Amino acid sequence: MRPMSDAPSDAVNDSAADTIRIASGQGFWGDDLDAPVRQVEGGPIDYLMLDYLAEVTMSIMQKQRDRDPGAGYARDFIPLMERIFPACVERDIRVVTNAGGVNPEGCAAALVEAGKRAGVAGRARVGRVEGDDILDRLEDLIADGHALTNMETGDPLESVLDRVRSANVYIGAEPIVEALGQGAHVIVTGRSTDTALTYAPMMHAFGWTRDDHDRIATGVVAGHINECGAQSTGGNCLIDWWNAPDMANVGFPIVEASPDGTFVVTKHPGTGGRVTRQTIAEQILYEMGDPSEYITPDVVADFTTIDVEEIGENRVRISGITGGPRTDFLKVSIAYSDGWKATGTLTYAWPDAAQKARAAAKILRQRLDRLGLEFDAVRTELVGWDSTHGQLVGEPPADLPEVQLRVGVRGKDRAAVERFTREIAPLILTGPPSVTGFAGGRPRVQEIMAYWPALLRREVVEPHLSVHVEEV
Amino acid sequence: MSVDVPTGAANAHEANAAGTVPLQLVHLAHARSGDKGDTANVGLIAYDPDHFDLLREQVTAERVKAHFGEMVEGEVERFELPNLGALNFLLHGALDGGGTISLMNDAQGKVFSTALLRMEIDVPADVVETVADRGRVPEGWSVEDYG
């Protein structure tokens, strides 16, 4: 899928392009709403990538679509584009996003309307990628011998099929590259990998093919750095965190990619945060598995030969990445309903705060037993003492000023979980003293959406992928 | 409080016969953690590349498994990234099922990073003196200084 060179707005991004600047504007659905605007307005960029998806997000979006067939995508994306669409068209900034969720078609339709409202009618093209959603194909796939075995447990998907809520294949960069080649200004996908949103523009602009393993692997690292937004530029960064400058105005990362497959990470001038060898190193390790075998739909990247070099203030150069050919399989993200849970909290004060909290938890468990309620798990934590570092912190001191008791239950019986939520408040008058903090009311019962990782042969998926580009 | 027991830095004068003292990793490395299903990962990065070998020799998968005890039900795997002066650990079965199943406050393993930094390793006494001030907010710092 080589980029087409005759698209009207494609002239600056041909394979002779020098460097391209790919800005990160969103690290998850719920990230800083104004960050993409700052990326567009704060200095020159060529591409804006926006990552909205996480494993659990797809099932939430599917639930929204079940209620409203027009929903099922990241709704925040539409008003955002209405704000930045004119600037993106005028300055030829291409936007690549997986905001489409489980409904790229609905997202693209809303985007076209937003473009009209923003005054770019006749000047902009919207592209969308479809075919990653295999929810409606699961029965046929299983009948054809694709067991979609759980990669962790080895169980066949059939065992939970009636409870599956969403099923999407992680797809790579090639459909995005095709949409860019067709001159799309904005490309909306479903479950494209987070990293593909960053390296697809490189493949497009530099004319890389799927055999350019080392270059694409470098693009994967760039994508890994971009996909969590400000977590590369000082946010959630442990090293000397107290020195991080002007985090209220933190700059999101920008990748300056070169045709040779190296890149520089930076951020706009005048923004807060920082880009150093160490902020980048922390992000490279985030959610890392085997660093010599980072599997994506387009390449298997090896991070272990990486060179990270500070070449200026807030400028870090990355090189040395190698890659190997893509595998015959694509990963599938399946969410299925797996019971119910609820978590309740109460606050206990000095003296002997932790001892009171534990006594309350004991009473609560005795009452749950007496009611004959059965759960798959009951968990007690003391927020302010051991809820993050567990037994590593030892026994709490009697002079602990306060502690929050946090009790959670999960089980298959919704009624039992519901009843648990009614057993927290009574502890205020029927349990240990010096208790407060129940202003939030009863805990909410939540449906558990469990994650089912599986593999599917590439050739079963790829013929179903399609790219659509339309005028605003 | 047991969380604030003096670290090796405060015990620098108590070097043993080998000339080493126990020191918490927080003074030698920074870290970031995340999740993949029921597995937490912790990336451990030496502040000073010269100290990477100390980490590589002593922060083994076995030691990390023992450090976390019942917090990690499954195995611990370790991978090396020498060019970053870093080790990556996978803590299997650490997240009570992970994702939306987990009842943990830290269901996504976000702060297993600093939990690992509590671990102590044996560090040459002369190194301890140079790193004792690393990893914690400097004395006298206040939030007035932030931003």
Side-chain angles (χ1 to χ4, degrees):
Chain A
M1 292 185 215
R2 302 280 290 184
M4 292 162 55
S5 56
D6 59 349
S9 56
D10 202 37
V12 296
N13 288 328
D14 60 22
S15 59
D18 198 8
T19 62
I20 55 170
R21 290 166 63 89
I22 307 160
S24 163
Q26 198 80 174
F28 66 102
W29 191 15
D31 204 353
D32 185 340
L33 285 170
D34 292 331
V37 181
R38 297 202 302 272
Q39 289 290 54
V40 168
E41 292 176 352
I45 61 171
D46 302 302
Y47 296 87
L48 177 66
M49 63 74 68
L50 305 166
D51 174 24
Y52 285 96
L53 300 183
E55 283 161 3
V56 70
T57 318
M58 301 303 280
S59 61
I60 296 168
M61 289 175 164
Q62 190 64 52
K63 199 181 266 185
Q64 293 172 345
R65 193 181 186 182
D66 291 343
R67 285 194 293 257
D68 172 6
Y73 57 87
R75 293 201 174 207
D76 293 344
F77 175 63
I78 302 303
L80 165 69
M81 280 310 301
E82 203 169 332
R83 288 170 74 186
I84 64 175
F85 221 148
C88 289
V89 170
E90 277 148 31
R91 289 158 45 199
D92 195 27
I93 298 168
R94 310 286 196 88
V95 179
V96 184
T97 180
N98 55 18
V102 299
N103 190 3
E105 189 178 5
C107 183
L111 186 56
V112 167
E113 293 309 310
K116 288 174 182 162
R117 291 194 298 273
V120 299
R123 295 191 290 146
R125 294 182 184 185
V126 168
R128 68 177 195 273
V129 176
E130 293 184 6
D132 63 294
D133 192 336
I134 57 167
L135 184 60
D136 294 336
R137 296 178 59 199
L138 288 179
E139 282 185 33
D140 290 343
L141 287 167
I142 290 171
D144 287 346
H146 303 282
L148 291 160
T149 306
N150 187 310
M151 291 165 71
E152 285 165 11
T153 65
D155 295 330
L157 183 65
E158 193 142 35
S159 61
V160 298
L161 188 59
D162 57 333
R163 292 186 274 139
V164 169
R165 295 289 190 268
S166 68
N168 296 78
V169 183
Y170 283 95
I171 58 173
E174 290 187 357
I176 301 171
V177 175
E178 185 174 314
L180 286 166
Q182 291 183 32
H185 292 84
V186 186
I187 294 132
V188 172
T189 75
R191 189 56 278 197
S192 289
T193 59
D194 306 346
T195 54
L197 305 175
T198 292
Y199 66 80
M202 299 180 193
M203 294 177 71
H204 165 71
F206 303 140
W208 296 346
T209 68
R210 69 173 63 148
D211 297 324
D212 287 320
H213 301 143
D214 292 351
R215 289 172 181 166
I216 296 172
T218 310
V220 169
V221 178
H224 190 78
I225 289 169
N226 256 354
E227 75 182 39
C228 292
Q231 209 174 224
S232 290
T233 52
N236 190 29
C237 196
L238 185 59
I239 183 160
D240 298 353
W241 65 266
W242 50 90
N243 281 335
D246 194 15
M247 289 300 291
N249 180 38
V250 63
F252 274 47
I254 296 169
V255 165
E256 293 179 356
S258 297
D260 66 0
T262 63
F263 65 93
V264 172
V265 188
T266 186
K267 63 187 184 70
H268 279 320
T271 58
R274 56 190 167 197
V275 182
T276 69
R277 194 178 186 281
Q278 288 145 320
T279 66
I280 295 302
E282 274 197 33
Q283 175 56 22
I284 286 171
L285 284 153
Y286 179 67
E287 290 184 349
M288 171 64 64
D290 178 349
S292 69
E293 208 174 45
Y294 188 103
I295 300 172
T296 78
D298 296 302
V299 73
V300 179
D302 181 351
F303 284 44
T304 59
T305 53
I306 194 168
D307 282 316
V308 182
E309 185 189 0
E310 278 181 32
I311 58 168
E313 191 180 5
N314 293 313
R315 293 183 67 78
V316 171
R317 185 172 178 273
I318 312 279
S319 59
I321 310 290
T322 58
R326 62 194 210 174
T327 72
D328 293 335
F329 293 89
L330 294 172
K331 196 169 176 189
V332 186
S333 166
I334 298 168
Y336 66 101
S337 173
D338 196 27
W340 306 90
K341 70 171 183 178
T343 304
T345 59
L346 288 171
T347 301
Y348 290 85
W350 181 94
D352 307 315
Q355 290 78 357
K356 290 169 185 162
R358 285 181 174 164
K362 183 175 181 181
I363 295 169
L364 178 60
R365 282 180 187 243
Q366 287 170 336
R367 289 178 183 164
L368 296 175
D369 284 346
R370 202 175 58 205
L371 288 164
L373 302 178
E374 289 185 7
F375 301 103
D376 295 339
V378 180
R379 186 179 183 91
T380 302
E381 295 178 338
L382 300 184
V383 179
W385 184 247
D386 67 1
S387 83
T388 56
H389 288 182
Q391 97 259 348
L392 297 176
V393 300
E395 279 303 300
D399 270 347
L400 200 62
E402 64 187 40
V403 76
Q404 186 183 55
L405 171 66
R406 186 176 189 276
V407 183
V409 301
R410 68 165 175 264
K412 301 291 185 281
D413 178 5
R414 181 175 184 154
V417 176
E418 190 78 53
R419 181 60 201 257
F420 160 80
T421 68
R422 293 159 187 262
E423 292 299 317
I424 307 292
L427 286 166
I428 297 168
L429 301 186
T430 64
S434 342
V435 57
T436 186
F438 195 67
R442 277 191 194 125
R444 197 165 56 90
V445 176
Q446 292 174 274
E447 186 175 12
I448 293 173
M449 281 297 162
Y451 177 62
W452 185 282
L455 296 175
L456 190 56
R457 292 199 73 83
R458 184 182 284 279
E459 67 266 20
V460 180
V461 177
E462 288 180 338
H464 292 261
L465 297 179
S466 60
V467 174
H468 311 263
V469 177
E470 58 188 311
E471 297 280 344
V472 172
Chain B
M1 305 199 325
S2 61
V3 279
D4 282 327
V5 291
T7 63
N11 298 334
H13 58 286
E14 293 173 15
N16 63 18
T20 64
V21 285
L23 184 72
Q24 273 187 320
L25 288 174
V26 70
H27 300 294
L28 295 165
H30 54 122
R32 179 170 295 184
S33 55
D35 68 315
K36 206 149 256 160
D38 195 21
T39 298
N41 97 294
V42 181
L44 181 73
I45 309 161
Y47 282 122
D48 182 339
D50 291 343
H51 299 155
F52 176 58
D53 282 343
L54 276 174
L55 304 183
R56 180 153 52 181
E57 284 158 17
Q58 296 189 54
V59 192
T60 61
E62 295 72 26
R63 286 278 318 272
V64 171
K65 169 81 177 158
H67 173 71
F68 281 107
E70 66 190 32
M71 291 172 71
V72 177
E73 289 179 2
E75 291 308 301
V76 171
E77 287 184 274
R78 188 182 92 162
F79 302 95
E80 298 182 11
L81 292 101
N83 290 11
L84 293 177
L87 300 170
N88 184 41
F89 296 91
L90 296 184
L91 316 177
H92 297 288
L95 299 176
D96 186 33
T100 68
I101 300 173
S102 178
L103 299 174
M104 293 168 66
N105 192 15
D106 188 22
Q108 292 176 304
K110 297 285 188 185
V111 292
F112 274 74
S113 50
T114 57
L116 179 59
L117 296 182
R118 291 177 176 278
M119 185 174 149
E120 289 187 340
I121 65 171
D122 294 326
V123 178
D126 57 328
V127 172
V128 170
E129 283 171 31
T130 65
V131 301
D133 294 334
R134 292 233 57 163
R136 299 293 296 270
V137 170
E139 207 163 320
W141 184 89
S142 95
V143 78
E144 300 293 317
D145 306 325
Y146 186 64

